[in-house]
Structure formats: C-alpha cells, structure tokens
C-alpha cells in the first residue's frame, strides 16, 4: 500500500468504497493490460483478452455464491432501476397478479413499474411504521397463481435486511439484492431471479448482475424490445451488444479479492463484526443514539440511526464530516444518519466511526 495516500473513511451508500488492493491492481494494469499494450477499456469486447475477463467474472460469481447449474449469470445495464421494469415486462401480462413484499422505498419503486404491466398487489407492507422491520414468514399471504413474488433483500434507506428467505414453492421468488449481494451466505436455489446493481457490494456502477433460473428465461414475454429480454442476454453470454467492459473487469477483481479473503462465509462474519461495532454503541448509549430498525431486522449493510436531539444531530453530522467520515447523512428522503458498511468498507473504518460516536456522546451529554 502506498502509505502517502490517505484513504477516506467512506460510508457512501452507493457508489461506495472499493477494496484498496483492487484499485491498486487496476492502476497497475491500466496502461498495459496483461501485455495487450492497451487498457481493458480499449480492448474489443469481441477479443480473446476481454472474453477471458468476462467469463472469469461469471465463473467466480458462480463459485462464490455456489450457484447451481440450472442458473445463468447475466451482466446487464440500467441499474437496479431498469430491473424494476424488466421484471414485470418479462414475467407479467395484463390481468396477471404478482405479489410485492413492501419493505421500503425501493420496493415501492419496483411496485410502481409492475403496475404498468399487470396487477401487482402488496403481500405485506409496514410503511405506516416507517419500514422498521422485515416481515415474519407467517405474515406473507400470497396467491399460488401469482406470476411471481418480489422482495428487496436489504433496504438501503431504512436499514433493514432479510436474514433468511421464504420458500415460495411453485411461485417464482424474485429479489432485488442491490445493496447486500454477497454480504452473507444465502441459498440461491430459493430464487427464480436475483438482480443487483454492482455499485455497492460488487464493483463500480454501470454493471447490473442478474442470476436467473433457466426455466424463467424461457418464460419471458416475447413481444418486448430485444434489449429488455433476459433471453437476448442469455443467448449471447451477455455480449449481445457492447457490455460495460471496465466495470465487469473491476467486478471480477472484487470477486478475486473476496475469494482471497476466504469467500462469502468469511465476508459474512467480517460484516457482522463491523456492524456490531456500531450497533453496540447505539445500544449502549442510553437513548442518546436511536436505531431506526427493530433489532431482529437490522441490516449489516446500512446502519440507520438518529441522535436524540435535532440540533445535536446536526452537530454530529458536521463533526463527523470534519473528522473525515464521508457519507454519514441519512438518505435525503428520511434524514437522520446512516453508515453504509458494505463488503469493501474496512473493519478499521467502522472501528474509527464507533469511537467517534462514543467520543461525541461523551462530550455532548
Ligand atoms: N434497489 C436498491 C435496494 C437500491 O439501494 C438501489 C439504489 N440505491 C436501487 C435498487 C436502484 O439502483 P440503481 O441506482 O442502480 O438503478
């Protein structure tokens, strides 16, 4: 590591921190990528050198998530937001129902797009209590004839996260995992489709990952634009058109970093320890800090809390900024404070923030 470089304490909600090791490797390879005499960005997406990068990222994601053979990994564009539209466009027809489990603003955005194509309904919503918790499985009443059930695995704005997923049997389960993919082990085989924008846990913005069961690809509606069909990207190994090549390269390098760290189990444990540092300060603050999420629903990725006095909260945020903590303001729609502790955020960054929180409380009681 170049000791002259001062890396920020980066708690941005996305795009967010990337591992220093990955940035340094990309820097080293930037001008002459593995003897090609050009950067990855300048390679043809039809060249063997790029194809290796592309296929390596797919293979490694399959390995790290133990993705069964009946699934495909696709690299798409348009972010999580385009998936909100592509899902109903492909899998919902006029008059058909799909169940949406509403646990935050991103579920609302996904639901709004589905309304354009069919008859989605709320399987569950706790909007009236500010989305403080994830539902119990018993609360999920849906129709066995639904085209699919959709959930948001981690609620970036409210700071709640599913720790286990329901088994929906014959009804395809679709998840937006934009803000927690690869943050802890989970069973891919419960899902028909998983999608995630890369810019929080996987790499830079510009790439969206989809993990899709092959039978779903076949089921997609035929009369939609070519670029918006999952089948187009599946038939062409995500090379139907020019993919975001540099982003996919970076994603592959982030996956290498995760593998070297010990894989998803190690990462999951590390994420728990990081989040605990901050939640412990909240819990031991005698109400000085107030967590937003109910404890059983707490996110390991986005820790949302308030300081119990509005003026003090402003002071907290401005002092945090002065101390070099970046991105600690809550989302503009809800206010408060939020520390996003994604996979690449180092333990030391979380430790420094927890110490700052304790110090702030001690000097402002
Ligand atoms: N889903 C979730 C859970 C998100 O947190 C976000 C972005 N913060 C989105 C979807 C939208 O992603 P994008 O900006 O890539 O469209």
């Amino acid at each position: 590591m170049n000791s002259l470089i001062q890396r920020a304490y980066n708690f941005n909600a996305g795009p967010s921190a990337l591992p220093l090791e990955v940035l340094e490797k990309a820097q080293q390879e930037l001008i002459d990528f593995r003897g090609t005499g050009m950067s990855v960005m300048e390679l043809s997406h039809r060249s063997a050198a790029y194809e290796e990068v592309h296929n390596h990222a797919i293979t490694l994601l399959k390995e790290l998530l133990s993705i069964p053979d009946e699934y495909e990994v696709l690299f798409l564009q348009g972010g999580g937001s385009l998936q909100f539209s592509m899902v109903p466009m492909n899998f919902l027809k006029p008059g058909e129902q799909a169940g949406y489990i509403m646990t935050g603003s991103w579920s609302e955005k996904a639901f709004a797009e589905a309304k354009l194509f069919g008859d989605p309904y709320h399987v569950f919503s706790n909007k009236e209590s500010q989305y403080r918790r994830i539902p119990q499985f018993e609360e999920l009443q849906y129709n066995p004839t639904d085209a699919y059930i959709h959930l948001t695995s981690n609620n970036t704005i409210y700071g709640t996260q599913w720790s286990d997923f329901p088994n929906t049997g014959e009804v395809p389960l679709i998840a937006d995992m934009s803000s927690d993919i690869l943050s802890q082990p989970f069973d891919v085989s419960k899902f028909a489709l998983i999608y995630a924008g890369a810019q929080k846990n996987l790499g830079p913005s510009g790439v969206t990952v989809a993990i899709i069961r092959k039978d779903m690809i076949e089921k997609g509606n035929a009369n939609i634009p070519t670029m918006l069909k999952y089948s187009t990207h599946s038939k062409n190994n995500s090379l139907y058109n020019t993919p975001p090549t540099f982003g996919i390269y970076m994603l592959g390098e982030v996956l290498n970093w995760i593998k070297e760290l010990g894989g998803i189990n190690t990462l999951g444990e590390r994420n728990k320890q990081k989040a605990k540092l901050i939640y412990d300060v909240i819990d031991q603050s005698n109400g000085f800090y107030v967590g937003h999420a109910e404890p059983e629903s707490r996110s390991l990725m986005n820790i949302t809390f308030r300081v119990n006095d509005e003026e003090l909260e402003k002071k907290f945020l401005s002092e945090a900024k002065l101390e070099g903590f970046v991105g600690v303001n809550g989302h503009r729609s809800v206010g408060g404070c939020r520390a996003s502790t994604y996979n690449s955020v180092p333990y030391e960054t979380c430790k420094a923030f927890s110490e700052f929180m304790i110090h702030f409380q001690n000097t402002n009681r």
Side-chain angles (χ1 to χ4, degrees):
M1 174 178 158
N2 184 342
S3 57
L4 295 176
I5 296 175
Q6 180 63 48
R7 294 273 293 160
Y9 289 135
N10 185 351
F11 287 109
N12 279 334
S16 42
L18 285 165
L20 178 60
E21 295 88 328
V22 169
L23 295 171
E24 285 179 334
K25 183 158 181 219
Q27 185 180 41
Q28 259 172 27
E29 295 189 322
L30 190 68
I31 310 284
D32 179 13
F33 179 70
R34 299 175 197 171
T36 57
M38 58 184 89
S39 71
V40 173
M41 286 176 276
E42 298 164 288
L43 290 175
S44 161
H45 63 295
R46 306 286 174 206
S47 65
Y50 174 70
E51 220 171 310
E52 198 180 316
V53 168
H54 190 91
N55 292 335
H56 170 75
I58 294 173
T59 308
L60 202 47
L61 189 64
K62 284 186 177 165
E63 180 186 325
L64 288 169
L65 279 176
S66 307
I67 299 177
D69 287 345
E70 60 269 29
Y71 289 76
E72 283 186 22
V73 169
L74 306 179
F75 294 137
L76 309 172
Q77 299 189 58
S81 300
L82 186 59
Q83 293 307 297
F84 297 161
S85 317
M86 262 177 81
V87 165
M89 214 182 261
N90 279 267
F91 304 123
L92 201 57
K93 294 193 182 79
E96 279 183 352
Q97 292 203 304
Y100 276 69
I101 305 176
M102 308 299 287
T103 51
S105 324
W106 298 109
S107 316
E108 289 175 16
K109 291 208 159 108
F111 182 79
E113 295 301 300
K115 280 210 286 199
L116 301 172
F117 300 96
D119 292 326
Y121 68 96
H122 291 181
V123 172
F124 169 89
S125 171
N126 59 354
K127 184 174 184 167
E128 67 297 339
S129 53
Q130 292 83 46
Y131 293 123
R132 283 176 201 276
R133 71 176 178 91
I134 296 298
Q136 306 282 330
F137 292 171
E138 311 79 80
E139 293 174 280
L140 305 176
Q141 301 299 328
Y142 53 88
N143 308 314
T145 52
D146 285 346
Y148 59 84
I149 304 290
H150 180 280
L151 63 81
T152 316
S153 59
N154 181 74
N155 303 289
T156 326
I157 295 176
Y158 294 91
T160 61
Q161 184 178 21
W162 294 71
S163 53
D164 190 16
F165 298 103
N167 206 328
T168 55
E170 291 298 301
V171 186
L173 182 61
I174 296 182
D176 173 5
M177 294 201 180
S178 291
S179 54
D180 71 342
I181 191 161
L182 272 165
S183 66
Q184 57 185 354
F186 72 96
D187 181 2
V188 172
S189 72
K190 284 188 175 169
F191 297 91
L193 168 63
I194 293 164
Y195 62 86
Q199 66 271 23
K200 301 171 199 297
N201 265 343
L202 296 176
S205 59
V207 194
T208 307
V209 168
I211 302 167
I212 185 164
R213 214 173 51 211
K214 289 177 184 160
D215 63 301
M216 289 300 281
I217 302 174
E218 309 308 324
K219 270 197 220 165
N221 293 329
N223 55 345
I224 57 175
T226 312
M227 272 297 285
L228 302 177
K229 286 180 188 167
Y230 292 100
S231 61
T232 301
H233 302 285
S234 153
K235 276 186 208 132
N236 293 281
N237 190 29
S238 303
L239 286 160
Y240 171 74
N241 71 326
T242 317
T245 52
F246 189 73
I248 292 169
Y249 157 73
M250 288 294 284
L251 186 149
E253 291 304 323
V254 170
L255 297 179
N256 279 338
W257 174 80
I258 293 173
K259 187 173 173 176
E260 274 165 32
L261 212 67
I264 192 163
N265 290 321
T266 312
L267 205 53
E269 281 312 308
R270 205 176 95 116
N271 285 332
K272 270 190 209 154
Q273 288 165 10
K274 281 156 46 182
K276 186 174 186 305
L277 286 169
I278 299 170
Y279 283 126
D280 278 356
V281 175
I282 295 173
D283 292 342
Q284 289 157 20
S285 72
N286 288 322
F288 184 85
Y289 298 113
V290 184
H292 180 78
E294 290 187 9
E296 332 61 75
S297 298
R298 281 175 168 174
S299 168
L300 299 181
M301 299 280 97
N302 308 99
I303 301 172
T304 48
F305 63 96
R306 312 279 328 210
V307 178
N308 71 1
D309 173 279
E310 216 171 300
E311 284 311 306
L312 262 189
E313 186 169 272
K314 281 189 197 142
K315 189 171 177 218
F316 175 84
L317 289 169
S318 70
E319 285 190 17
K321 199 169 172 186
L322 283 175
E323 291 296 319
F325 298 102
V326 178
V328 184
N329 286 65
H331 188 268
R332 60 189 185 282
S333 62
V334 293
C337 315
R338 170 175 59 170
S340 296
T341 53
Y342 298 124
N343 286 343
S344 307
V345 174
Y347 180 88
E348 294 69 33
T349 300
C350 300
K351 179 94 183 129
F353 188 60
S354 67
E355 285 165 1
F356 165 74
M357 288 174 75
I358 294 170
H359 177 74
F360 184 84
Q361 179 177 4
N362 287 341
T363 47
N364 289 279
R365 281 178 209 276

